[in-house]
Amino acid sequence: MQPEPTTGLRHRTVEVPAGRLHLVEQGTGPLVLLVHGFPESWYSWRRQLPALAAAGYRAVAIDVRGYGRSSKPAATEAYRMLDLVEDNAAVVRALGEERAVVVGHDWGSNIAAVSALLHPETFRAVGLLSVPYAPPGGPRPTDVFGPIGGPEQEFYVSYFQEPGRAEAEIEPDVRGWLAGFFAALSGDTLPAPDQADPHFVARGGQLRDRFPDGPLPAWLSEDDLDVYAAEFERTGLTGALNRYRNMDRDWEDLASHRGVPIKQPSLFIGGALDASTTWMSDAIEAYPTTLPGLSASHILEACGHWIQQERPDEVNGLLTDWLATLAD
């Protein structure tokens, strides 16, 4: 099986605060900016670009700073949320546009949400995939994640905090690690409820110790996996992991926005088998307060974390239907 067709896709780089940001675009019309999560790239939107273009939109998927062909600043603090938001705003300007709809998945969902929160004049609507919106605030993130798991295991977010630690696990076998990570969070290959949770690391162990040992998820071909692996084998994982290493900085940077809702039109799509959806069910229940402009919240049955790749036709339909309700 070959990777998804790339006919009609236009690759380019634009100037942003990070240096240069690589993006892929297709179609003409109102701008829809697509922001990926960890550990992905613009390629995670390969099935949305042609669908959005066919529906009359200018669909643009970026490589977030530190990923793919975008600039990779050396400093850990260069990956704080405020900087990624400014990258998004700069992309809109570089494309000659004044406003855009921003749609994000996983970490991209958080980045999209804060982009809409801080720049409502630029981002007229926001779509959130997999990770619900929770307004800034609450306790310091590392204080929350540290105790999760107890003395016998460590939450993956805490495991990612120390520079070089996760890299030492992943980078000797990027392709194998990605295959396991994707499978661990996919609806058709995730571990059974009675098996060890892959979101945790046994003390002294590695995250991959709990990845399923079996076939790739149905949505991921060997060639698709090659695309992802080739990018991370070239760039390493530090830029991607630095997003996790800025969570406390984000908490401080966004202190003045604690509890602030996003008022623009919004959409949420989650997977019923995704821990991001189940762990953050309280955030979804709070949407009438935190997302007063919410058009709809959809939970896709039997779907895991990689929602726009696992269920592209459903996600494309929900996105295009929602976009059609928005004023240009």
Side-chain angles (χ1 to χ4, degrees):
M1 183 182 294
Q2 295 299 313
E4 293 294 314
T6 56
T7 303
L9 300 182
R10 302 182 295 276
H11 291 255
R12 61 186 290 193
T13 55
V14 297
E15 297 299 318
V16 298
R20 289 161 61 84
L21 213 71
H22 170 249
L23 58 84
V24 180
E25 63 178 313
Q26 187 170 5
T28 59
L31 177 61
V32 180
L33 186 67
L34 305 170
V35 187
H36 67 80
F38 175 90
E40 301 171 279
S41 71
W42 76 267
Y43 192 72
S44 67
W45 300 104
R46 62 195 177 279
R47 297 182 174 101
Q48 282 66 55
L49 289 164
L52 293 175
Y57 298 95
R58 184 183 187 184
V60 174
I62 66 171
D63 279 338
V64 174
R65 69 165 69 186
Y67 285 83
R69 301 176 219 177
S70 292
S71 292
K72 188 174 69 173
T76 301
E77 60 270 21
Y79 297 84
R80 65 207 310 156
M81 182 64 73
L82 292 183
D83 290 332
L84 301 180
V85 166
E86 294 310 312
D87 284 349
N88 281 353
V91 167
V92 175
R93 294 192 297 269
L95 293 174
E97 304 282 357
E98 295 183 357
R99 307 188 76 199
V101 175
V102 60
V103 179
H105 169 256
D106 183 73
W107 263 121
S109 178
N110 294 104
I111 299 167
V114 180
S115 296
L117 182 67
L118 300 186
H119 288 289
E121 76 289 349
T122 299
F123 299 104
R124 62 189 182 94
V126 57
L128 310 175
L129 274 57
S130 296
V131 177
Y133 175 63
R140 185 181 295 272
T142 54
D143 292 341
V144 174
F145 297 131
I148 296 178
E152 301 300 323
Q153 56 184 5
E154 183 180 12
F155 192 47
Y156 79 101
V157 175
S158 297
Y159 179 68
F160 286 167
Q161 293 300 308
E162 180 184 342
R165 185 182 178 196
E167 289 93 325
E169 172 186 343
I170 302 169
E171 291 181 355
D173 177 22
V174 170
R175 192 180 190 278
W177 193 92
L178 290 175
F181 192 72
F182 288 141
L185 305 184
S186 294
D188 59 336
T189 52
L190 54 79
D194 61 346
Q195 295 179 308
D197 190 333
H199 294 90
F200 294 87
V201 182
R203 300 293 177 180
Q206 295 184 322
L207 197 63
R208 70 188 308 153
D209 295 340
R210 296 183 174 182
F211 292 168
D213 183 15
L216 293 178
W219 61 267
L220 183 70
S221 72
E222 295 284 353
D223 292 299
D224 291 330
L225 180 59
D226 284 342
V227 173
Y228 282 120
E231 291 290 72
F232 286 113
E233 285 168 349
R234 182 174 55 80
T235 65
L237 270 292
T238 296
L241 289 164
N242 279 344
R243 176 80 291 273
Y244 292 91
R245 295 163 185 162
N246 278 279
M247 296 178 75
D248 282 352
R249 291 187 181 92
D250 299 339
W251 179 78
E252 295 169 354
D253 290 341
L254 297 171
S256 63
H257 291 81
R258 292 183 181 182
V260 176
I262 294 173
K263 298 180 180 179
Q264 296 97 305
S266 56
L267 174 74
F268 176 72
I269 312 173
L273 300 180
D274 184 5
S276 298
T277 300
T278 56
W279 288 345
M280 297 186 69
S281 59
D282 289 350
I284 296 174
E285 292 174 3
Y287 278 168
T289 300
T290 61
L291 291 177
L294 184 70
S295 300
S297 178
H298 303 274
I299 304 296
L300 305 188
E301 294 301 321
C303 185
H305 182 67
W306 317 105
I307 190 163
Q308 77 270 31
Q309 299 178 89
E310 292 186 50
R311 304 286 273 277
D313 292 341
E314 287 178 74
V315 169
N316 291 346
L318 292 171
L319 283 176
T320 53
D321 287 348
W322 172 64
L323 290 167
T325 69
L326 305 175
D328 289 344

